[in-house]
Amino acid sequence: DAGITQSPRYKITETGRQVTLMCHQTWSHSYMFWYRQDLGHGLRLIYYSAAADITDKGEVPDGYVVSRSKTENFPLTLESATRSQTSVYFCASTLTSGGSGELFFGEGSRLTVL
Amino acid sequence: GNSVTQMEGPVTLSEEAFLTINCTYTATGYPSLFWYVQYPGEGLQLLLKATKADDKGSNKGFEATYRKETTSFHLEKGSVQVSDSAVYFCALSAVHSGSARQLTFGSGTQLTVLP
């Protein structure tokens, strides 16, 4: 199916473990984003990418790593998970320059760090 | 920096009631303004947008007018339905710290419509 898909949808892990959240889009959108959603904070930008091999930090990048070797994929890695990273993570993409057009969101990945 | 402040929730209304969710913003330059909606268990989707002052965005009976003089973009609907129950996010798009334009979101307002 066309669109933007995230995996896994649900993940439980332990403090200190590495976790990778996957994001795949089929539209060939240039821009991709990772947000985290926490009660009372809305969505906060973690990292974004303007094209393959071009990534940049957002508002809350600490503890996260991203890569973009292919236009369609934008994985987010927590190298050593902490309880404060328990959240719902959303991947999004857009064709036009970042933020000026409509963002298309995945369904989210709910991560619990014990 | 850029910021969005929206009405605290939760908001509970009866079907066919009038809805207003307030949103104000702070931004440099000329932001575009958006309302996104998140239905239970889903990602966000664009509800409406306005790209310049005095523009009115509308969709599915919802409306919002870009008011530069009051830096506001309040969401309204004349008669809500149970199916409108969702979380609503106000957002702006503007240049952030000299880099590409980015979306800044408000904290979200949970709306519950009772039959």
Side-chain angles (χ1 to χ4, degrees), chain A residues 9 35 37 40 42-43 45 48 90 98-103 105-107, chain B residues 34 36 38 41-44 46 89 93 99-103 105-107:
Chain A
R9 293 290 311 280
Y35 290 88
Q37 183 181 25
L43 275 77
L45 182 63
Y48 67 98
F90 286 98
S100 61
E102 177 179 357
L103 286 191
F105 283 83
E107 293 183 319
Chain B
F34 304 83
Y36 279 81
Q38 183 181 28
E42 299 182 9
L44 281 72
L46 181 66
F89 291 91
S93 165
S99 63
R101 294 174 71 90
Q102 295 176 17
L103 274 183
F105 287 87
S107 57

Side-chain angles (χ1 to χ4, degrees), chain B residues 18-53:
Chain B
F18 184 85
L19 168 71
T20 299
I21 301 177
N22 290 337
C23 172
T24 57
Y25 67 90
T26 302
T28 54
Y30 303 95
S32 296
L33 300 174
F34 304 83
W35 277 100
Y36 279 81
V37 59
Q38 183 181 28
Y39 298 104
E42 299 182 9
L44 281 72
Q45 54 187 274
L46 181 66
L47 180 60
L48 54 83
K49 68 178 182 181
T51 57
K52 61 183 187 295

Side-chain angles (χ1 to χ4, degrees), chain B residues 2-110:
Chain B
N2 302 326
S3 67
V4 175
T5 302
Q6 65 179 97
M7 182 174 156
E8 297 253 346
V11 174
T12 302
L13 296 173
S14 297
E15 205 164 25
E16 300 183 0
F18 184 85
L19 168 71
T20 299
I21 301 177
N22 290 337
C23 172
T24 57
Y25 67 90
T26 302
T28 54
Y30 303 95
S32 296
L33 300 174
F34 304 83
W35 277 100
Y36 279 81
V37 59
Q38 183 181 28
Y39 298 104
E42 299 182 9
L44 281 72
Q45 54 187 274
L46 181 66
L47 180 60
L48 54 83
K49 68 178 182 181
T51 57
K52 61 183 187 295
D54 299 325
D55 268 3
K56 177 185 283 188
S58 61
N59 186 25
K60 300 181 181 180
F62 291 89
E63 293 183 339
T65 301
Y66 187 162
R67 302 284 188 200
K68 193 171 177 66
E69 63 276 12
T70 54
T71 62
S72 65
F73 192 55
H74 304 322
L75 181 68
E76 296 182 336
K77 186 174 186 182
S79 176
V80 293
Q81 305 300 312
V82 173
S83 57
D84 293 326
S85 298
V87 182
Y88 293 82
F89 291 91
C90 185
L92 70 82
S93 165
V95 173
H96 180 74
S97 300
S99 63
R101 294 174 71 90
Q102 295 176 17
L103 274 183
T104 300
F105 287 87
S107 57
T109 301
Q110 171 78 55

